[in-house]
Amino acid sequence: MQENITLNTSQDVVASVINNDADKEQHIADLITKHMPELKAMIESYWFAKKANVLNVAVVPESIRFTTAVSGMFVAKYTVSYFFACDDITTNNTEAMTCTFEVDLGRHAITITGELQPERGPDEF
């Protein structure tokens, strides 16, 4: 399983990537912050089967870095909360996910991809 989302970008983000501006990482951070609900929804899909809630999603601004001219990576930190109704206990765990991004200059979009989590196939009898 590997989830991804595609976000529309502004001309400012595209121009900063094309021109290789010094503040292009800040433009990416601002864009992701603006679309935090979409990032949270993507991360929640990793935890849905485990019946966990994802809270306090934040991007570590200094973790944003370009690995090529149009793609890179960043770290998203968040809290995973489990509620055990029978015991009336809530457990919160701090988690982090390394996400990659790729800026599509032609479409003015950025695709953010979460970590790859291989799924186990069914057992044979």
Side-chain angles (χ1 to χ4, degrees):
M1 173 174 96
Q2 188 170 31
E3 301 292 329
N4 64 41
I5 55 172
T6 301
L7 308 172
N8 293 325
T9 63
S10 66
Q11 183 59 35
D12 294 340
V13 174
V14 173
S16 70
V17 172
I18 290 173
N19 298 330
N20 198 23
D21 291 344
D23 64 345
K24 65 183 178 181
E25 288 86 1
Q26 185 59 47
H27 283 283
I28 297 295
D30 293 343
L31 176 72
I32 295 170
T33 301
K34 179 180 171 186
H35 293 280
M36 197 58 71
E38 291 93 333
L39 180 62
K40 181 180 183 240
M42 183 189 83
I43 293 172
E44 283 175 334
S45 64
Y46 283 90
W47 294 94
F48 179 77
K50 296 177 184 174
K51 302 198 183 329
N53 291 325
V54 175
L55 309 166
N56 307 323
V57 178
V59 174
V60 181
E62 53 275 359
S63 72
I64 299 173
R65 68 176 189 268
F66 279 80
T67 53
T68 69
V70 295
S71 64
M73 59 190 300
F74 65 89
V75 175
K77 291 192 174 187
Y78 53 95
T79 302
V80 176
S81 179
Y82 294 96
F83 177 67
F84 301 98
C86 294
D87 297 328
D88 195 26
I89 296 173
T90 301
T91 303
N92 295 320
N93 300 323
T94 302
E95 298 283 341
M97 180 182 289
T98 302
C99 299
T100 59
F101 65 87
E102 184 169 352
V103 180
D104 185 337
L105 302 175
R107 290 185 350 173
H108 291 195
I110 182 170
T111 301
I112 298 173
T113 305
E115 294 177 346
L116 175 63
Q117 293 185 349
E119 294 183 59
R120 180 178 167 189
D123 291 333
E124 304 246 349
F125 291 106

